[in-house]
Amino acid sequence: MIKVLPIQSDAPTKKSSSPGRLIVLTGPSGVGKGTLMQELLKRHPELYYSVSVTTRSPRPGEINGENYYFISRTKFEQLLAQGEFLEWAEFAGNYYGTPREAVLNQVHSGKLVVLEIELQGARQIRSEFPKALSIFILPPSMNELESRIRGRAQDSEEAIARRLCRAEEEIQAAEEFDVQIVNDDLENALNAIEAVLFG
Ligand SMILES: Nc1ncnc2c1ncn2[C@@H]1O[C@H](COP(=O)(O)OP(=O)(O)OP(=O)(O)O)[C@@H](O)[C@H]1O
Ligand SMILES: Nc1nc2c(ncn2[C@@H]2O[C@H](COP(=O)(O)O)[C@@H](O)[C@H]2O)c(=O)[nH]1
C-alpha cells in the first residue's frame, strides 16, 4: 500500500525571490532515473540532488549518505511523526522519504533541487508545490524495463515482480507530469532533460 504524508501547502518559491526551484524526476523503477541523475550531476554540479531516507537495505556498493540515508523502520516512523519529510511513500515493502529541511533550505538559497522519487511522492510534490517542474521518464518498452531491472542484478525475484507490477500503474500516470521523456538512448534522454532544465 502507498501512503503519503500531507505536507505544508506553502510553496518554497513563494518565500523567496531567488530562482530556486524543485525539479521532480519520476518514472518506474529501473527506467534509468538514477543513471540519468548521475550524468546530469557530472555535467551540472550546480544542481542539488536530494539524498532520500529509506528503510531498504543497502545494495552492494551503495554508500550511506550518498545514495540514501539507510535507517530502521522505527526511526523512519519517528522522523515521520516529527514532520521531517517533505513527502514520503511506501514502495515495494520499504519506506522512502525526502528530508524536508535540507531541500527547502537549498531551494530558498536559489538552487535547482532535484528529487528522484516514485509516483505517489511526485504527485504530492506537484500538488503542494505547483511551481515545481516535473519530468516523467518512460522506458522504450516493458521488455526493456524488465531487462534493465534484471540486468542491475540487485533485486530478488519477488522484488522484481513487485516493481514491474507497480511500473504498469506508474506508466499510466505519465501524462500527469509536465514533461515525458523516453529513456531509450541515454545521451538523447540526457539532452532532452537538459533542454527542459536549461532551455
Ligand atoms: N538508456 C539506457 N539504456 C540502457 N540501459 C540503461 C539506460 N539507462 C539506464 N540503464 C540501465 O538500467 C538499469 C537501471 O537503471 P537505474 O538504476 O538508473 O534505474 P532507476 O530508475 O534509478 O531505478 P530505481 O528507481 O529502482 O532506483 C541500470 O543497470 C542502468 O545501467
Ligand atoms: N516517494 C519517494 N520515492 C523515492 C524516494 N527515494 C527514492 N524513491 C523511489 O523509490 C523507488 C525505489 O527505489 P530503489 O532505490 O529501492 O530502487 C524508485 O522509484 C525511487 O525513485 C523518496 O524520497 N520518496
Side-chain angles (χ1 to χ4, degrees):
M1 183 172 70
I2 304 280
K3 298 177 216 150
V4 178
L5 175 74
I7 59 178
Q8 292 168 1
S9 59
D10 49 337
T13 44
K14 284 182 188 159
K15 287 184 174 175
S16 165
S17 56
S18 76
R21 195 175 190 192
L22 277 176
I23 312 290
V24 175
L25 196 62
T26 191
S29 173
V31 75
K33 301 181 299 297
T35 309
L36 290 163
M37 195 61 232
Q38 274 178 14
E39 289 305 314
L40 267 182
L41 286 171
K42 278 189 212 156
R43 294 185 190 191
H44 303 282
E46 74 277 13
L47 293 173
Y48 178 86
Y49 171 68
S50 164
V51 178
S52 294
V53 177
T54 186
T55 61
R56 168 168 78 59
S57 302
R59 294 177 180 139
E62 284 187 327
I63 298 168
N64 189 40
E66 214 170 278
N67 303 95
Y68 282 106
Y69 295 104
F70 297 99
I71 64 171
S72 67
R73 287 182 78 88
T74 307
K75 181 71 185 167
F76 192 102
E77 283 163 1
Q78 189 187 327
L79 293 174
L80 184 57
Q82 292 168 355
E84 297 285 343
F85 296 120
L86 198 61
E87 61 72 37
W88 73 284
E90 189 167 6
F91 180 94
N94 293 297
Y95 291 141
Y96 296 82
T98 298
R100 175 189 294 277
E101 196 180 338
V103 164
L104 294 186
N105 282 345
Q106 293 295 327
V107 173
H108 291 150
S109 74
K111 292 262 187 187
L112 286 186
V113 177
V114 189
L115 312 183
E116 185 203 318
I117 60 178
E118 55 69 63
L119 177 65
Q120 294 303 315
R123 279 179 169 155
Q124 190 67 17
I125 294 289
R126 262 182 71 74
S127 121
E128 299 298 324
F129 301 96
K131 290 184 183 171
L133 172 68
S134 58
I135 303 174
F136 194 100
I137 307 296
L138 286 156
S141 68
M142 286 307 289
N143 281 347
E144 173 63 17
L145 183 68
E146 180 167 353
S147 71
R148 285 185 192 173
I149 295 176
R150 290 189 181 284
R152 191 162 63 181
Q154 289 180 331
D155 298 295
S156 66
E157 272 306 313
E158 192 208 347
I160 290 170
R162 288 167 95 166
R163 282 164 190 260
L164 284 172
C165 180
R166 180 86 187 117
E168 304 262 9
E169 200 184 318
E170 294 206 339
I171 288 167
Q172 307 285 322
E175 294 296 324
E176 292 174 22
F177 297 89
D178 296 321
V179 181
Q180 298 76 34
I181 292 173
V182 177
N183 180 22
D184 190 351
D185 175 77
L186 190 72
E187 186 62 30
N188 288 346
L190 274 169
N191 291 341
I193 294 173
E194 282 182 311
V196 171
L197 294 188
F198 306 108

